[in-house]
Amino acid sequence: QVQLVESGGGLVQAGGSLRLSCAASGSILSINVMGWYRQTPEKTRELVATITGDGSTNYADSVKGRFTISRDNAKNTVLLQMNSLKPEDTAVYYCNVRGRLRSLNVMNSWGKGTLVTVSS
């Protein structure tokens, strides 16, 4: 019912930048929170950043000052600008969208993930 299309991952050297994008489509009535999470084989999935419909943001301490999350409500799109990347930022990044479907059911959808690799 909901499709999330992620793009923007890849390989970058330490200190470089990448921008992730996630577009949501389908039977969406409303979106409350959009966000990015990441996961490595050694760790459980962790929050990177979230943004609400009114633009309130929340960041993991490890990315504050380096990453910026933004959204385009008209396009149901969330972006993650990642600057000053570090090798420890290497992970699979997942888009998450929470809100309400047209059926009025709760929506909590995940993208398939996009790999970000930061070389030292």
Side-chain angles (χ1 to χ4, degrees), residues 1-4 24-29 76 101-102 107:
Q1 289 180 309
V2 177
Q3 296 80 41
L4 300 183
S25 63
S27 301
I28 299 171
L29 176 63
N76 289 342
L101 298 171
R102 290 177 184 169
M107 172 180 61

Side-chain angles (χ1 to χ4, degrees), residues 8-22:
L11 173 64
V12 64
Q13 289 187 332
S17 298
L18 284 175
R19 189 175 78 162
L20 305 184
S21 176
C22 174

Side-chain angles (χ1 to χ4, degrees), residues 54-73:
D54 63 0
S56 297
T57 57
N58 181 45
Y59 294 93
D61 288 342
S62 59
V63 307
K64 284 180 180 177
R66 300 187 298 120
F67 291 10
T68 302
I69 190 169
S70 61
R71 65 188 277 178
D72 183 334
N73 291 330

Side-chain angles (χ1 to χ4, degrees), residues 69-118:
I69 190 169
S70 61
R71 65 188 277 178
D72 183 334
N73 291 330
K75 297 181 179 179
N76 289 342
T77 299
V78 60
L79 303 175
L80 184 68
Q81 179 66 43
M82 305 185 294
N83 299 328
S84 303
L85 282 161
K86 304 175 181 180
E88 51 263 43
D89 293 318
T90 296
V92 177
Y93 284 70
Y94 295 90
C95 174
N96 175 252
V97 174
R98 285 175 274 164
R100 189 74 62 174
L101 298 171
R102 290 177 184 169
S103 64
L104 302 184
N105 289 334
V106 172
M107 172 180 61
N108 184 9
S109 295
W110 292 89
K112 295 181 179 180
T114 184
L115 177 62
V116 171
T117 303
V118 184

Side-chain angles (χ1 to χ4, degrees), residues 15-46:
S17 298
L18 284 175
R19 189 175 78 162
L20 305 184
S21 176
C22 174
S25 63
S27 301
I28 299 171
L29 176 63
S30 62
I31 295 177
N32 182 15
V33 182
M34 305 183 84
W36 290 94
Y37 293 72
R38 65 187 182 187
Q39 187 170 14
T40 66
E42 297 79 24
K43 295 182 179 180
T44 57
R45 192 171 297 186
E46 63 177 10

